[in-house]
Each structure stands twice: as C-alpha cells, then as structure tokens.
C-alpha cells in the first residue's frame, strides 16, 4: 500500500505500539531499548505516570481557551521556568523552530530599537535551529537549505567554538544585534565547546551591547546534568529557547528573555493560537516537578559519565573510534568513517540510536535509565561498533 504521508523522513521499518520507561514495544511485542528518546524529547521516558496523570486531569477540565485570556497553567509554568533559569519572562509556542523564530524576531526588534535598520545575527557553522524559513536560514547545514532559496537575510556565519571569529565579525559588521548559538551542538555532531566559550561570549555580548541567545532546545531540561546547559558556566543569556523535552512528548516550545530583551515583543507584535495552552502547560509542569522530585538532573551527569567510561573501556582497542564525548546524557561517539548504517544494525539488536553529521553516533537516552539498562546499551552498542569497523575497511 502506498503511504499518503509526504516523504520528508526516511523511516525505519518499525512501528511502536506503546512504551514503558526506556522501552518501546512494537506491534509484535518486541522490546527496544530507546537510547534516543525521540531525539531528546522523552527525557522522563515513555508513558511516565506523572505526565499521564497531568494530561488526563487537564483534558477532563479544559484543553484550550485562547491567549486572549489569562491561562493559569501558563502563568505557573512561566513562574517555574523563570525561577529555574534566572530569566525574566516567557513566550510560549509549540516547537523548537517557533521558539527560535520568536528569538530571531526579538533580536530584530532589539536592533530597530537601537536604530539599526538592517540588523544581523551571528550564527554558527554546523548549527541546527529548525526547518522554518528563518530557522533553516540560521542553520549551518547546506542540506537543510538546499532547494529553499531565497533564504532569509540577516545571518552572519562563523565557526563554532571560535571567539576570535566572533570578534572579527563584530569588527567587520556594525549591524550585528545578537549571537544565536547552541551551548552544545546536537545535530552538528555533539560538539562541546571549550569550557569557557559561553563565558567569553557573554562578555563579548555585554561589551558590544548585543543579545546572547542560546538555543537549548536539545541541551535543555536536565539532559546535560544542569536544568539548562548554560548553568554549567554560571552565566545567564539574554534569550534562551526551549522545546523538545519540555513537554516529554506533548508539543510545547518556549522563548525565554531577560532584561532589555524581555520587553521587546509587545501586544500585537507576536503570537500563537496554541502556544502555552492549558494541556501543553500541564504536561510541562509535571515534567519540571518530576525532574526535581526524582533528582534526575544530578543523576543525568553521573549516568552520562558512567556511559562514557564504559564505552571508553569497551572501545579502547578500536582505533577507528576518533572520540567519545558527553555532557551528562548528551553523548557522541565519533568514528573515522560514515556510519549511518549503524542505526539499522542497532535496530536489528532492538536498540534505538541515531547517527548525525555522518560520522557521529548520537545517544540521548531518557534520564530515568537505570544501571542495568545502561549496561545493556553499552554492551550491545560497543559490540555493534566493533564489528562494524572490522567489516568496513
Ligand atoms: C530539534 C531542534 C530544533 C528544532 O525543533 P523543532 O521542534 O523540530 O522545530 C532547533 N534547535 C535545536 C538545537 C534542535 O535540536
């Protein structure tokens, strides 16, 4: 039978029926260990009872009203998010791309408030910010942009993890109003910058009165061992975008702002029909409560480091492994060759992984993963990697 879905994804030949924690169960009752969490979405694993309960209760009361009215759950969620992040306020939307759209609009408004007529935003090579026209224009990946010209103007691209390059761009262009950057690049290959990169960027943004905008859509919500990855650096950005794990599978995005960035988007300048509706916010509130109650964020750091050292041990004699890197449970294993085929080989062993930037195995397991599951993940995947690099010369 032909599918009536637009072929925007190369889909794997498996359909899941339900989930339990880190496990996904297919239509034939096979159990798969999910080391991807739907790409950093289900940080609490699948079918989490707290999220289930919250959305059941909320759906019995109210799904949607409108942002024309105050929404209690949205106010509460904004209180929690600003308290946990040190930001001042929040615009709610439904996805990561939309959160970044809000950030981009906000940066342009900031520029115009300073009488910069043609504001530009510094963005990075190998970055990923989404699939809408503005966010794909900000993205540093030619494949994402191919076929969609003309791109949105107003982005200046520099190499990632290179403060000098940003200084040079600032010297060369007087219309720069913001820098948009991932604290750790996800799609780009789990690229972790120098430990003081964000600190230096913060200083530079202050010196030049431009906005520091962090895309925490993949790195946020506890994954790296802090609620937000920038909290490893003891800095606060001017703008921060969230989505993915915020609702553990219920679509919700957020653009957080602080200080001079917080009052730029005013009534009539931006909006969203669904953004921050009672249902989505009820899920996000349950996520934040559970992360804290179960101390999952500290655990993410320990679990990630355990996974790293176990892989280092089991892959130590494999000279085709270029690098193993992690910050908490954001984990990359880079090989010396393209390895997209590993995804299917792992699927055959009932393990769900991802390969990004051609040569990097990406692991984003749920934060609730336990020791036994970690052992199973590492043993299975290390064996697959070792066989693969032996067989592909
Ligand atoms: C996934 C992702 C996005 C896009 O989020 P969508 O919800 O797919 O629009 C943007 N930035 C980063 C860093 C991401 O990982």
């Amino acid at each position: 039978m032909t599918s009536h879905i637009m072929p925007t994804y190369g889909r794997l030949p498996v359909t899941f029926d339900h989930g339990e924690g880190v496990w996904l169960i297919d239509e034939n009752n096979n159990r798969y260990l999910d080391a991807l969490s739907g790409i950093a979405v289900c940080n609490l694993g699948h079918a989490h009872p707290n999220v289930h309960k919250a959305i059941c209760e909320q759906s019995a009361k109210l799904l949607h009203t409108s942002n024309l009215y105050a929404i209690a759950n949205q106010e509460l969620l904004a209180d929690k998010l600003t308290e946990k992040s040190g930001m001042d306020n929040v615009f709610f939307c439904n996805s990561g791309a939309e959160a970044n759209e809000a950030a981009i609009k906000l940066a342009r408004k900031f520029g115009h408030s300073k009488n910069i007529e043609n504001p530009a935003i510094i963005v990075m090579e190998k970055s990923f910010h989404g699939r809408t026209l503005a966010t794909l224009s900000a993205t540093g990946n030619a494949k994402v942009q191919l076929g969609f010209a003309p791109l949105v103007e107003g982005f200046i691209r520099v190499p990632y993890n290179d403060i000098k390059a940003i200084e040079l761009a600032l010297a060369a262009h007087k219309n720069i109003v913001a820098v948009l950057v991932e604290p750790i690049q996800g799609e780009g290959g789990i690229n972790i910058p120098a430990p003081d990169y964000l600190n230096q960027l913060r200083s530079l943004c202050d010196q030049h009165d431009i906005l520091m905008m962090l895309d925490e859509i993949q790195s946020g919500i506890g994954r790296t061992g802090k609620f937000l990855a920038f909290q490893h650096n003891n800095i606060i950005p001017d703008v921060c975008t969230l989505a993915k794990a915020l609702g553990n599978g219920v679509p919700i995005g957020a653009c957080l702002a602080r200080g001079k960035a917080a009052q730029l988007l005013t009534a009539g300048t931006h909006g969203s029909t669904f953004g921050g509706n009672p249902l989505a916010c009820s899920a996000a509130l349950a996520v934040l409560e559970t992360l804290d109650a179960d101390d999952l964020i500290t655990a993410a750091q320990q679990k990630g480091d355990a996974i790293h050292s176990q892989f280092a041990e089991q892959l130590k004699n494999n000279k085709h492994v270029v690098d193993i890197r992690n910050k908490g449970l954001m984990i990359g294993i880079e090989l010396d060759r393209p390895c997209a085929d590993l995804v299917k080989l792992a699927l055959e062993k009932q393990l769900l992984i991802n390969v990004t930037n051609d040569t990097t195995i990406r692991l984003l397991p749920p934060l609730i993963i336990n020791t036994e599951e970690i052992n199973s993940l590492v043993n299975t995947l290390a064996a697959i990697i070792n066989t693969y690099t032996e067989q592909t010369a």
Side-chain angles (χ1 to χ4, degrees), residues 95-97 100 128-130 182 215 217-218 244:
S95 68
N100 285 334
F128 183 80
H129 298 297
E182 295 155 88
D215 179 342
I217 290 161
Q218 195 160 146
K244 290 202 164 99

Side-chain angles (χ1 to χ4, degrees), residues 208-388:
H208 291 263
D209 189 33
I210 63 171
L211 301 179
M212 179 183 193
M213 309 205 297
L214 294 182
D215 179 342
E216 290 255 15
I217 290 161
Q218 195 160 146
S219 57
I221 323 293
R223 175 149 299 276
T224 71
K226 296 277 187 192
F227 179 61
L228 299 169
F230 70 72
Q231 291 169 331
H232 290 285
N233 295 75
N234 289 313
I235 51 125
I236 309 183
D238 302 298
V239 176
C240 172
T241 53
L242 301 176
K244 290 202 164 99
L246 183 54
N248 208 60
V250 178
I252 181 168
C255 176
L256 285 64
R258 185 175 70 96
K260 61 193 170 203
Q263 307 305 328
L264 293 165
L265 294 179
T266 49
T269 61
H270 200 45
S272 167
T273 295
F274 292 133
N277 88 4
L279 183 77
C281 292
S282 74
L285 284 166
V287 167
L288 299 189
E289 239 165 65
T290 306
L291 283 173
D292 285 342
D294 298 354
D295 215 3
L296 288 170
I297 300 180
T298 324
Q301 177 125 27
Q302 291 153 359
K303 290 171 184 180
D305 292 345
I307 291 174
H308 185 137
S309 59
Q310 287 188 39
F311 272 118
E313 176 59 29
Q314 296 202 30
L315 297 171
K316 69 172 183 237
N317 295 323
N318 189 330
K319 60 181 191 301
H320 305 292
V321 175
V322 175
D323 193 18
I324 305 172
R325 34 182 191 267
N326 81 296
K327 193 109 183 165
L329 287 168
M330 206 166 168
I331 305 159
I333 303 172
E334 186 178 345
L335 303 188
D336 64 356
R337 63 197 62 193
C339 59
D341 290 348
L342 285 174
V343 173
K344 270 192 187 145
L345 295 171
L347 185 70
E348 286 167 15
K349 300 276 191 262
Q350 291 169 219
L351 172 64
L352 306 179
I353 63 163
N354 176 253
V355 167
T356 191
N357 197 32
D358 289 339
T359 54
T360 300
I361 301 156
R362 174 170 52 164
L363 303 176
L364 303 162
L367 276 50
I368 54 151
I369 193 168
N370 67 28
T371 307
E372 199 186 326
E373 291 155 351
I374 285 176
N375 293 341
S376 166
L377 159 63
V378 176
N379 293 337
T380 308
L381 184 56
I384 294 169
I385 294 170
N386 284 329
T387 310
Y388 179 78

Side-chain angles (χ1 to χ4, degrees), residues 34-95:
D34 182 4
L36 190 61
S37 311
I39 319 189
V41 169
C42 298
N43 280 9
L44 300 182
H46 301 283
H48 195 286
N50 297 0
V51 178
H52 168 67
K53 181 163 174 281
I55 60 183
C56 279
E57 288 179 2
Q58 186 57 48
S59 71
K61 287 196 341 193
L62 196 59
L63 289 177
H64 178 86
T65 51
S66 164
N67 282 308
L68 295 171
Y69 313 105
I71 297 172
N73 281 351
Q74 195 182 115
E75 299 286 345
L76 207 54
L77 180 58
D79 291 347
K80 294 250 156 90
L81 285 174
T82 51
E83 183 197 316
K84 292 171 82 64
S85 63
M87 306 296 285
D88 288 340
N89 60 15
V90 189
F91 171 80
F92 286 109
C93 51
N94 313 288
S95 68

